[in-house]
Structure formats: C-alpha cells, structure tokens
Amino acid sequence: MIPIDNYIWLSTVLFSIGVLGVLYRRNAIIIFACIELMLNAVNLLMVSFSNTLNDSRGQVFVFFIMAVAAAEVAVGLAILVMMYRKTKSVDIDILNRLKG
Amino acid sequence: MWLIRFLDNMLTVALIIVPIAAAVLIMALSRQVAKNIALFATLAELVISLVALYQFNSAMGTQYVFTKSWISSLGIAFSVGMDGISLLLVLLTTVLMPGIILSTFNDNSKPASFYSLMLLMQGALVGVFVAQDGFLFYLFWEIALIPIYFICLNWGGENRGKITLKFFIYTLTGSLLMLVALIFLYSKTPGTHTFALSALYEAGRSLDLPHQTFVFACMFLAFAIKMPVFPLHTWQPDTYTVAPVQGTLLLSAIMLKMGVYGVIRWLIPMVPLAVKEWGMTALILSVIGIIYASCIAIVQKDFKRLIAYSSIAHVGLISAGTLTLTTIGLQGAMIQMISHGVVVFGLFYIVEIVFARTQTREIGRLGGIRNVAPALSTSFFIILLSSVALPFTSGFVGEFLLINSLVQYQLWVGGIAGLTIILGAVYMFRTFQKTMSGETNTLTSQITDLATHEKLVLYPIVLLILLLGVFPKPLLDISATAVNNLLSIYSDLSASVK
Amino acid sequence: MTLYLFYFLSFVAILSALLVVFSKSPIHSILYLIITFFSIAGHYVLQNAQFLAAVHIIVYAGAIMVLFLYVIMLLNLNKETEPHKTSLAKIAAVICAGSMMVVLVASLKGASYLMAKPGGDIGLVKNLGKVLFDEFLLPFELSSILLLAAMVGVVMVGKQDQRTQILTNTPSTEANKIE
Amino acid sequence: MSVNTMILFIPLLPLLGFTLIALTQRRITRGTAAWVGCTTVFVSFIFSIILFVKLLNGAEPFTASFFTWISAGNFKSDFSLLVDPLSSLMLLIITGVGFLIHVYSVGYMWEDEGVNRFFSYLNLFVFFMLMLVMGSNYLLMYVGWEGVGLCSYLLIGFWFKNQSYNDAANKAFIMNRVGDLGLILGVILIFINFGSISYAEVFPKVTEGSTALTLITILLFVGAMGKSAQIPLYTWLPDAMAGPTPVSALIHAATMVTAGVYMVARNNILYSLSPVSMELVLIIGLATALFAATIALAQNDIKKVLAYSTVSQLGLMFVALGVGAYASGIFHMATHAFFKALLFLGAGSVIHALHHEQDIRQMGGLKKYIPVTFFTFLIGVLAISGIPPFAGFFSKDDILAKAFEHNQVAWAIAALASLLTSFYMFRLLFLTFYGKTRASEHTLHHVHESPASMTLPLIVLAVLSTIGGLMGVPELFGGGNWIAKFTAPVFARSHKLLPEHQLSHSTEYILMGLIITFTLVVIGMAYRRYISQAHVPASEGATLSPLHKTIYHKYYVDEIYNAIIVKPLYAIGKLFDIVIEKSGIDRLVNLVSESLNDWSVLSARLQTGHVGFYIFIMVIGVVLVVAYSFFR
Amino acid sequence: MNALYVICGIGIFALLAEIFSLKKWISYVALLGLAAAAALIIADWRSISYYFHGMMYFDRVALAFSGLILVVSFFWYWMSSDFFKGDEHVADKSSLTFFVVAGAIMMVAFNNMAILFLGIEILSISLYVLAGSNKQNLFSTEASFKYFLMGSFATGFLLFGIALVYGATGSFNITVISNNTTPVLSSAAIGTQGIPRFYFIGMLLMMVGLAFKISAVPFHQWAPDVYDGAPTPISSFMLTVVKIAAFSAFIKIFAVCFYRYQPTLQMLEQGLMVLTLVVANVAAVAQTSVKRMLAFSGVSQVGYLLLAFSSDGAKSAGVVFYYLAAYSAATLLAFTVIKIVESATGDSSVDKFRGLFKSNPLVAVAMAIALFSLAGIPPLAGFFGKYLVFTLALSNGFLVLTVLAVITSLVGVYYYFKPLIAMTQGEGKILLVSVSDRYLLLILIAINLLMGIFPDIVRVI
C-alpha cells in the first residue's frame, strides 16, 4: 500500500509545476495546458484520498472536474482563437491595453 | 384641546417637514413661481417657529418632543424636541432664511432646483438643532452638507470644483469620525442599544478617560472643522469666497453654528472627563484662532475673504467661551451665535450688494460709496459696529459674556482673546474706510443705493442687531434653563470628586 | 512492488510535466503533457480507480489534448520562435513557484495518520454509478447546464460575425502596435 | 414729572433727537435739524439743573432702575441710572456746555451740506456721554465709554471724503479701543472678584487687601489713558482735530476726554486702596502734563496747540487724582471744560473768519477784525494760564497745592507744566491776534465777525470762565470750597483712608505767589519774543535746531508707534497669511490630496495590464496566505 | 429551489427561442421569469429545507441572497435591454445570462462542494464568454481572455483546497464538514488530534480561490481590467450579481462550513481587507474613466464587506446582505447613467459627463444619487451599508480597522465626486434617454432613497 503522504507530495509537486508553467511561459496554449496539469494534480489527489478513505465520492467529484475541465478548455480555446484572429498572436503579454 | 396639544407636539416635526415638502413641491413647479413659494415656505416656517417661541416655557427643559421609532432594529428613533438652546438656533435659521430667499429676488437666473436645495438645507439645519437622537442628529448633519455642496458647486465662482470638494471632504472627514464616535457610544449604551440622547449621555459618562478622550477627539474634530477652529479652517475662506452669496450666507450665518451647537449639546454633557482634560487644549486652539484670523483679516485685500477671516475669529471666541464650561460662557456663546449669524449675514450680503454693482470685491478698488449710497453704507456701518462689539449692538452682549467667561477661566487667556476687540476694530474700520469713505472713483460713482428687496433684507437685520443689543435678556432667558441643565453634570462631577 | 511502480510513475509524471514547461515547441509540450496524463492514469489504476483511469485517458488524452493539438495546428503555432520572458522574469517565476511548492509541501506533511480502509472496489462503475445517480444527481444534472453554457459560449465566440469586419481593422498592424 | 422719568429722559432726549434727525435727515431742513438738536439737549440741561438743585438741597443720590439689560448665570447688569453729586456735576457740564456748542454749531456748520448729520452725531454723542456718567454700573459706563468713542470716530471723520481725516478717526477709535480693552478687563475682574458690577454693590465690598485690586485699577486706568489721552495713548487726540471745531470743543476738550477723570474719580475708593495705582496715575499724569506742554510750544496749528494743551491739562487732572485730591480734579475738569471749550470755540471762530485757515503763521493782528472773538479768547487764555481771578487760577492752584502736600517734586513738575502752558497760550494769543497780519489780502477782505449764534456761546463761556472759579474758592480766600463739599459724599471713604495733610496758610500763600510771579514772567517772555521781537515761527521746511525739531515733530512718537506697532502688525498679518496659512496649513492640506494622487498613480501602475504579472502577484499572495498557516 | 428551475428553464427557452424564432419574446419572458423566480423565493420564505440529499440548502440567508440576485438581475435585465436588442446573439447572450444567474443561485444555496464548484464554473464560463461578447472590440476580447486565464488558474487553487478538505473530512457536504471536525485546530495540533494540518491549508487555498472570485487584493488584478473591458452591461452584471453570489459563497464557506476556524482566519481576512481597502481606493483616484473608476470602487467595496465579515462571521450575513443590496442598487443606477452617456458619446471618461446637470437634469441627479450612495452619504442606501459595517466592526472592538475604513471611504469621496463635479461644469450636449430608461432611473432613485430612509425593509436577515 502506498502511503497517502506520497500522493499528497506528488500532486503538490505536479500542481506546483503547473503553476510554474503558468508563470514561466508566454504562450497562452501552453499556459492552458499547465492549468490542465494543475487540475490533474488535483484529480490525482482526490482519487488518492478517495481510495484511502474508501469513499467513492471523491472519484465522482473527479468526474465533475473532468467535465468542467473539458468545458473550460473548449471555451478557453475558443476565446484564444478569437484573440488570435485579432492580434495574430497567442502571446499573453501582447494584450495589455487595459491597464492603469 | 386635544388637537392643540397634538399640534404642539407636532411643531418640531412641522419645522422639519414644511421646508422639505416645499422643496419637493418646488421641484415639480416652474421656475417662475419657485422663489415665491420658497419665500412663502420660509415665512411659514418663521411663523411656526414664532408660535413655538410664544408657547415656549423657558423654565422647562426639552419641549415639543416628538418621538417615533424609526429603525427599531438599530435603536434609532425619529426623536425631536426643542429646549432653549435648540429653539434659539431654530429661530436663527427661520429668521434668516426668508432673508436669504429674498436676497435672490432681483436675480431670475436661479432655477427651481436652487430654491429646492435651499429649503432642503433649512429642513436639515432645523433637524440638526432639534434632533434628540444621536443617529438622527448625524443624519441631518450630513444631509445639511449635500444641498450646500450643490449650491456652491453649481452656482459658485471660479475654481469651484476643487474648492468645494475640499470643503466637502474636510467636513466629511470630521463627520465620519463623529459617526465612529457615535457608534462607539451606541455600542456602549446599556441594555438594548439605542441612540436616544439620554442613553448616549449615560454611556458617554460611564466611560473611562481614555475612551472618553477618543470620543472627544473624534467629535470635537467634526465640530471644530465645521466651526472652523484653527488650524482646521483652511477650507473656509476659499469656500466662502467661491460660494454664491446665498451659499455663503447659509454657511456662515447658520451652518457653522452646527459646530458650536454640536459642542454644546453633544460633547460637553457627553464626555465630561475628557472635556475637562482636553478642553484646555481646544480652548487655546480657539484663542489662537482668534488672533491668527484677525491678523490675517487685517491684510486681506478681498472683501469677502476678509469677512470670512473675521468670522473665523469670532467663532474662535464663541468656541473658546463654550469650552470654559461656565454658564456665562455658554450663555454668551448662545447669544453670540445668534448675533454672529445676523451680523455675518448682513456683512456678506453687503459684500454681495457691492459686488453686484461693481463686479469687484477688491477693497482697494472701491471707495466713496457713502457719497452715493448712504443707506447701504449706514447699514454696513451699523452691522460693522455689531461685528466689533460696540455696546447696544447685539455683538457686544455675547462678546462681553464670552470674554468674561474666559477671564474667569484664565486672566491671560481672556486678555489675549480680548485683543479681538482691538484687532476687530482695526480691520473692520479699515474696511469701512477703504470701501465706503473717501471720494468716489469711476467704479463706485455709479452705484445705486439699496433696492427695495435689499432693504427688506438689510433693515430687519439692522433692527435686530440694535434690538438684541438693547434687550438681550429675553433671548438669554430662553436658553438659561437649558444651559444650566447641560452644565449640571459638571457641578455633580466636581461634587463627587470632593 | 507497487511502491516501485509508484516511484516510477511519479518520476515519469514529474519529468514529463517539467518538460511540458520547459520544452521550446508547443507541440512537444502538449505531447509531454499527454505522457504526464498517461502516468497519472497509471496512478489511478494503482489507486483502484480503474474506471476513472479509462475515462481519464478518453477525456484528457483523447479529447482535450486533441483539441489542443488541433488549435495549435489551426493557428499554425508550431514554431520555436515564440517570445520568451526575460530571464529575470523566468528566475522570478521559478523562485515563486518553487517557494509555493516548498510552502505547500512543508505544510502538507502529517497526513500519514490516514489509514487506508479495507475495501477497494469503490472504483468500480457500479459503485460509482450508485453514488453519482443518487447522492450526486443534482450536480450531475447541473453539469449539463455547464456543458450547455460552454457549448453556447463556444458557438458564440467562435462564430465569425458578418458585422465583425472589423473596427480594429487589420490584425497584424494591430499586433504591431501593441508590441 | 417724577424723578425717575426725568432721569430717564435726560439721556433719552438726545437719543430721540438723534433718531429723529438720523431717520429723516434727507427730508428735513437744516433749521429743523438744528432746532431739534439744540432743544433736546437744552431740555436735558433743564432736567439736569432740576436734579442738581434737588441734590443741592440735600436729597439723597437718585438711582433709577428700568430693566435688566444682561443676565447670564450669576452675572447681571441692570439698565439703571444714577444721579449723585459727581454725575450731577458732569450732567451740568455735558448738557450745559453741550447745549452751548450745539448753538455754536448752528452758526459754524450752517454752510456745510452735512449739517443734519452733524447734529444727529452731536446728539448721539451727548446721549452716550450721559450714559457714561449716569450709568449706575460699570457696564453702562462702558456703554457710554465705547459710545462716545464711536461718536468721536464719526465726528472726526465727519468730512469723510478726506481720507486723512478718516485715518485720524480710525486712529482715534483704535487707540481708544486699546484703552477700552483694559477697561473691560478691569470691569470683568471687578465682577469676578466682587460678584457684581454695580457701583452700589461693589464699593462697599472693596476693602483693604481685596484681591487683584491693583490689577483692576491699573486696567481701569488703561481705559482712562485711552479716553483721556494720557501717555502712551495720547497721540490720537491731536490728530482728532481733523473734525469740525465744535466737535473738538465738545468732545476733545470739554467732555469725552474727561471721561477718564470721571471714571477714576468714580472709582476713587478702589484707587485709594491701591497705592501702586495711585502712584502710577500720578506719574502718568505728571509725565503727560509736562510732555504735552513741551510739544505745544512748537506747534503752529491753532487747534493742535489747543489739543496738546488739553492733553497737558488732562495730565494735570490726573495729577490731582493721583495725589488723592479727587475733588480738585473734578474742579479743574469743570473749569477746564469752560475755558477749553471757550478757547476751541474761539479758535473756531477765528478759523471760520479766515475761511478754514488754521496755521497761526498765516494769522496775526486779528483783534481789530474780530473783537468779540478776541476778547473772549483772551479771557480763555487768562483762565488757562491761571491768572487770578479767572477760573483756571483756582482749580489749578488747588491741584498744585495738593500736589505739594503729597510730594514736592510732583509739585515742581506740575508747576513747570503750567508755566509752559502760560507761555504757549500767550504765544498763541500773540501770534493770532497781535502784531501785523500775515494773512493774504484776499482772506482779509472777507474777514468778519462770526454770527450771533457763535458769539453768544463764546460770551456765555467767557463769563463762566471768569466766574467759574468761584465754585471752588479755597478757604484761604474765605471761600467755602463749595465743590469739595458738594462732592464730599462721593469721596468720603477715600478721604478717610488717605493721609490728611494740611498745608499751612503761609505755605499756600508762598506757593501761590511764586506761581503767579513766574506766570507773569513767562507771559512777559512770550510778549518779548512775539510782540516786541515780532518773532514768527519758522515756515515749513526751514532748518530747525535739533531740540526744536524734535519738539516740532512731537518727539517722533507717531513714527515710533508706526514702527513698533502698526508695521509689525501688518507684517505679522502678512506672515500669517502667506507663510503659515497659504504655504503652511493649506499647503499641508493640499499635500494630502496631492500625495494621494501620487500614490494613486503609483498603485495604478501596478495594474500593468500584463496578465502574467497579475498571476505572478496572485501566486505571491498564495505563498503568503499559505505561509500564514505557520504563523497563525 | 423552484426559482432555480425557472431560471434554468428560461435559459433553455432562450436557446430554443432562436430556433423557433421567438426572439422578440425573449426579453419579456426573461423579465417575467425573473419576477416569477423572485416571487417563488418569497413563496418559499417560510419553507427552509434541504434538497437532493443535502446538495442544496435554502435557509433564510440563501433565500434572501437568491432573492436579491433575482431582483438585481431583473433591474439589470431591464437596464441592459439595449445590450440584447437587435443583436444576432440575443438568444445566446440571454441564455448565458440566465446560466450565470443559475450559477449564482447555486453558489448562494449550495450545501455541497460539488454544487459550489459547479455553480462557480457555470457562472464563470458563461461570464468568460459574455465578457468577450462585444467581438468588434479588442478590449472586450482582452477582458474575456484575462478573465478566463486567471479564472481557471484560480479554480485550480479552489479545487486543490476542496481536495485537501475532502481528504481530511471525507466529505463534500458542508454540514458534515463543519460537524466532523470536532477539535479546534491549534497551531501545535498538527495531526495529533485527528485534524491534519492540510485541512487548514485546504481552507486557505479555498480562501484564495474565493478571494479571487470576490476580487480581494492581492487576487483582484483581473477585476478592474475585466470590468473595464467588458461591455458595460456585463460589467455592471459582474459588479452586482456576481459579486453578491461570490460573497455569499464566501460567507457560507467560512462562516458556516469552517465556522470553528473563523477566529484563526480572522487575521487573514483582515489582512486581505486592509490591502483591499487601501489599494483599491487609492488606485481609483487616478482613473479618468468613470467605468474603470467604478471597477476599482467595486473592488474596494469588498474591503468593507470583508470588514463586516471578519468582525463577526456568520452574524454579519444581515449586514453583508444590506450592504450588497445597497451597493447593487447604487451601482445599477450609476451604470444606467454610464450606459446612457456611453451610447451617446462613445466612452465614459469623466469629461463626457460635463454639463449634465444643465442638459439632462434627471440623468445627472440619478448619477449624483448613485455616487453619493456609493460614497456613503446619508440618507442614501450606501450610507446605511457602511454604517452597519462600521457598527458591526466597532461593536466587536475593531476600532483601528474602522478608522482605516473611514479614511479610505473619504478617499472614496474624493474620486466619486470627480464625475459629479464635471457634471456641474461646462455645457453638455443633450442626451437621448429612452422612456424605459427614464422610468428605470426614477425607480432606481426611489429604491436608493427608500433603502436609505427605511433600511429596515431590506434588513430581512
């Protein structure tokens, strides 16, 4: 049996890597991908808690997260495409007209 | 009989409602009738207040009480009533308001909203003076700020946006701190929290010194800004100068009395320990203000600014006298408030009359008006005499009592405050000389003497000044009981210390 | 044995996750992400969540990642010339994310008291279905609203309006201006 | 008519006169105004006489209360009037001399367009002066005190088109106000220490060692300094000559300026109990008497000479008060009222005749043109110089004798001052009426004697100046010193307190002889200089000896005051206005809003628009929030 | 609960309307539906109950907040009829709007983390799209993009928190969560008393996620940009409805679910509050666009709400409710005016308000009342909101914080008055105000006044 601590750490590390990616990159698509990575870290955590607690609700929750992730990605990519149409770029730092 | 008693109790409410109702009415009507309705409303208000005066029993405390629970969940009631102090200030308001409205009668440019705001202002001012509930007091205090702000903002002079904003924020700073203090007291009221005046008194008195000091600091700041007391006065000359004349009249003649009234009603009886502890500081600030403002007035070149500074000096004296916590000081403050209201009203109005005819307020450019407008200059002179506290004018009674109380407090404080007698004469007489005496010049030779509506405003003022100077006693009697009631806490306090 | 497997999968997951962040080409990033997903699916299996593992593969690797790739292809972004942050920003990013990780890890210790309860069939479709369609019926229904909203949104955003030709005229100059 | 009504009407009538004239001044003729003005004062005069006679017949002082004026807490001030011997005397002087001057003004001011206004002011002045002396408490006295100051202001600046007249008026008012402040503080201290401000209640309470008595009396005396033009507050009085001459006669010679004397006399008991103040009064009086007399020596304006002479004589009165000879002070005040009014009116007549020429260098030899004026003026000069048997001789001699009793040095200084007085008065007389005339042909052509309305008062006053001394003929000459006896009730307590010397008759004779001799010598000197040698004062701009120059410029006191008080006041005002107000407090207040704007720009800059940056901040926030779990 | 059905139903109706070409009817049905939903809430007032195995719980607080959301939505929909009118996406926009409202109600009435999460996501995803719905405008796109990017990033934290809490308590049901964890966590008690530390971390991460939603500093930076860039009606929607939902969710999580830890979290909340008050108010001063200024002001209001909440936890619900109601009323009024000005002049910079008092008195008065209310000047609604907050804070002894809030509200006056001053100066051109807008203005003015003069009518909880 794998101790739950291991999974907590693993998902924390994965989550942090996701955050790192969001901070590190300028490419909006990769940033989305990193956010997906963060969500997956959460999923992993949820599943491992679910397993440890022997409670299937955690896994059910993961379904919802997946649904949401899918919806989010769809909308997000649509927005991204819309933005790309206008700026011909997916660089997040290009859009900084709203400021001050 | 029953009806009369009911109406009696409703008097105070009527005093608040009538102008507000008229204000709403005016908004709905055309601009032509607006000023007439406004005048009518203020006159009606005057009649009501005179009825109140007539039926007032000066031996009793608060009368014409009307209390109705308003926001029960917060312990807020619509509770109003008048004791002598309130009545005097209400009278001041109701007497001066028709004059203010009248002063616009040659001017057809003011829309209905102007009169509406004026009347709202009157309602709020009366409300401040009659409120018997802490929250209600605060509410009216703030509401009074809004119309005057708009009056100044809409019809003011050059650079009005910035100056009025400064004025607004300045006063709001004070009043918000006051709100904090009031809420603080509210949270200390015994039992179910309430804003009732007596409960707040009780709560305030039961606090220990540090907490009382906090309350004192917050509230005094609010009142000091309103009055204004040195060094919180810098909004005032600018605002007075930039405001339209009616705004200046409202501000100087009535509104700054709110500050003094606040000190008398909401500070002195509320936190006696702190007043004893810190009153000295506040008093000395006020006295500094007297000298300071007088000195500045001496070198002012702008007629209106000069009067504004003189007003600071006078109010400094009032505030200092109030803080001596003596009957004489408080009585002096009361009568001086009335007198100052009337006098400063007259002075500012004369400034406006001169300004309207010459388009300048620069003292150096005027002169010789006595030659062409004797009624104007004579009125000015008599009002000026009251301003410099010549006996048998209203200014003397108050100033004498105030200086008296200050001398009782500390001889040297009284002496310094007394310098106002000299300095006041210096700048006022200099002003009279520069503007009224001498030969006429191109600017002033065309001045016409007072028009009818101006006479209707100024002559009663002059009459009032003389009347109050010779027969001040009825007025002093009105507030005597109330003042003694307020100060009784201090005699109790010193008794308990012994 | 499972522990070793765990370590292996973890290693793969972390490595490929790092590669997602650091690889130059977007395509590579996405592909590394798919590897990460697979290794996570492996973890699911280790955790007795077999059905979820399958769904995970289908949804993430099968749908979402394809969508990503599709967009990359569509926008023709498969270049390695994408602008990078200044190295200062990068260092700051690493420090920031690193400190977050440290703080989180440091504060998350102490979970080991959670003793695994006997069982192990919770990951089966049957058990999941019972929970999902009983206790979680409302969220399940509401997630349809979510998907509906997403659908409407995507259609609305994605649709090229007739009128949209365009106040902010030629996009390329616009982009230059923004630069 | 009851006594109370009469008492009320004495001040009320002039007030009514004022109100009547002031309200209708544009509509009534000058004749009506003059008539109203004179009548009201005259009726008051009649009433005053009636009351005086009653008092003379041994009636108790009358007190008439009308209503409570001010009451606040334990402070109470009634509107109540008092007629006792002291005020009764004052009433006679005020209404009597006042009436004469009213009559005189009819002639003097007839041509002036503001004559109605003039009469209204005069009536108002009489009202306030009456309030001053009749008030039965300090506050009413203060009312009159301030009121006469106001009227003085109005009348000095009567010709308001001339700004230098207005300056003089302002100066008079403000300088008076300095004194008034002292007075009011004194009054307040009296209230604080004795619990009342009514004479009747205060005086009995005053005892040896009453607290703050010295302070009170000094403060009161400060008031007197202002009103009675004593050093250091005397400089307004010469300037006050800007007003029409009747005003100078009434206000600045006969009545108002003696208010200080009246006040000190009224409060004699307070002063008697505080030796320090007495000394102060004496010293100030002496200094003023001598100082003003020296200045008068070199003045060339006929009214200025008289003004300084007034200051000097007032100093002499204070000398009397300072040595405790209150009755003598009052006596001199009365005689002074007669002869100084006479002199001023005479001067007015001269000025009138010469079409408002006031410079004695432009006069001379006028006695043949205006004989009545000359003759009455001569009487005035003789009276003021203390030539027996004119009024001034008795009163002045009384004071000198009392001063000698007290302190020989004081006597010497006072005597010197009075000798100087003789000199400059005769100088004035000689330069004006004797010798060759220096006026222009044109002026001379029009010179004429004044109308009867002017000469009549002159004659009456001349008579009074001649015989006025009889009311105080000392025992020495077999007189009963009636005035001292009449006022004795007022000063009774003081007399008991003060050490009673009695000069031997021989000493008194010697002193008297000495003074008379010296006076004659001085007159001789004046005669030699101005008649025999026909010396004429140097014209404007001529070089003068340093001493002469200093005196001519009045010791530069005005300039000194200007430099140490007026200019600094304005400088302080400017300092406050510019440095503290605008660049201090207001700047600070504005700085709050300005710095708010700066901060705002700064924090708005944090809103960079870069979403990467936002996330960055967010992550930092997360780190901090999570780190909080370690420190909670 | 019925209200939720109605709202979802209308959302779907709007979609179907496009297919069956009933577009004209959408707005009427929408207004009717919102009114009906509000009525249903009132009808449910006395029946407090759980729904669907404790997934939703409509207690008084939830009912009141849902009612508020519906009423505000009603007026909002009225106000933004122009936004929907004549647009080819009218059906999409309407349905998305209703999905937002549905999500908001879920956030208000949830009793399970799943509902909370789904509610947030339904709301957010719809808003991402709505924020970008003005496709011609690059600002709108930028707003949408920023909102989406940061929103989904924040969701990650929220979920991480939920996962940790789940791990510690074994449940998503907040009733269970709040009951399960008997011992109060102390700093030393890591794991030893049955409560692992990561439970606390979970709470903190949830707070991060929700702080993002309510836009508390330092998680606020999306807010001004998004409010500014999004189409004006959507901005006002986000400032009112979304804020109400987010804050009531915040209250529910931290005052109901984690109520035992409120004292330990208090400091943190106060830290957020201080930052929010200072940063947002100060930053607002420099704004020249009224819309953006109100965006910052919207952020700053969160500070006052946090002050109330951190002072007294669950008991603050009544105050928060009043505050949000007052704030929404004022904001709607202000945005109605902004919309009118914007449609006439193109943008909402302060200059565009010049001379409004002369040219359009009604509009100007409305704006003045809105600004006064926002600034907290009596007797308007906003004043009572602040008043109640201060009272609550003071009665719990937070003197210094109250004074700070007072000072920042003064800063508020400073910037709120800029448009006010502009309105009184110069000459403005006469704007066209439609009849419906006119009535809306009058009604909103009345509401602002009434709420101020008789605050008791709104103080239902």
Side-chain angles (χ1 to χ4, degrees), chain D residues 181-191 215-217 219-220:
Chain D
L181 174 59
L183 182 66
I184 194 79
L185 288 178
V187 171
I188 291 169
L189 279 180
I190 286 172
F191 166 68
L215 186 61
I216 289 170
T217 44
L219 283 171
L220 291 180

Side-chain angles (χ1 to χ4, degrees), chain B residues 24-175:
Chain B
V24 174
L25 184 69
I26 283 174
M27 281 307 274
L29 296 171
S30 75
R31 103 175 8 192
Q32 278 74 28
V33 293
K35 69 172 76 157
N36 294 322
I37 292 183
L39 184 65
F40 178 76
T42 50
L43 286 175
E45 186 85 343
L46 178 60
V47 170
I48 297 173
S49 64
L50 288 178
V51 170
L53 174 67
Y54 176 72
Q55 306 203 347
F56 188 77
N57 182 351
S58 60
M60 273 163 55
T62 315
Q63 294 161 49
Y64 310 118
V65 177
F66 176 89
T67 305
K68 188 155 182 6
S69 178
W70 175 25
I71 307 171
S72 48
S73 60
L74 300 174
I76 296 167
F78 186 88
S79 172
V80 291
M82 289 189 275
D83 63 356
I85 297 171
S86 308
L87 181 63
L88 276 185
L89 289 165
V90 168
L91 278 173
L92 177 72
T93 315
T94 54
V95 167
L96 292 183
M97 279 309 288
I100 296 178
I101 302 287
L102 258 179
S103 72
T104 63
F105 261 53
N106 63 332
D107 177 3
N108 286 320
S109 67
K110 301 280 195 289
S113 57
F114 178 79
Y115 295 96
S116 185
L117 287 172
M118 299 294 272
L119 288 170
L120 268 184
M121 184 82 192
Q122 180 175 18
L125 286 167
V126 171
V128 168
F129 296 138
V130 301
Q132 299 289 321
D133 178 283
F135 190 84
L136 198 64
F137 170 72
Y138 175 78
L139 208 62
F140 280 124
W141 176 278
E142 286 284 16
I143 293 173
L145 189 57
I146 299 170
I148 189 67
Y149 175 71
F150 273 108
I151 289 170
C152 297
L153 186 64
N154 259 330
W155 293 279
E158 213 178 309
N159 213 359
R160 55 185 191 254
K162 212 175 150 205
I163 287 168
T164 51
L165 182 63
K166 182 163 146 188
F167 155 64
F168 195 92
I169 291 186
Y170 231 125
T171 39
L172 194 67
T173 312
S175 39

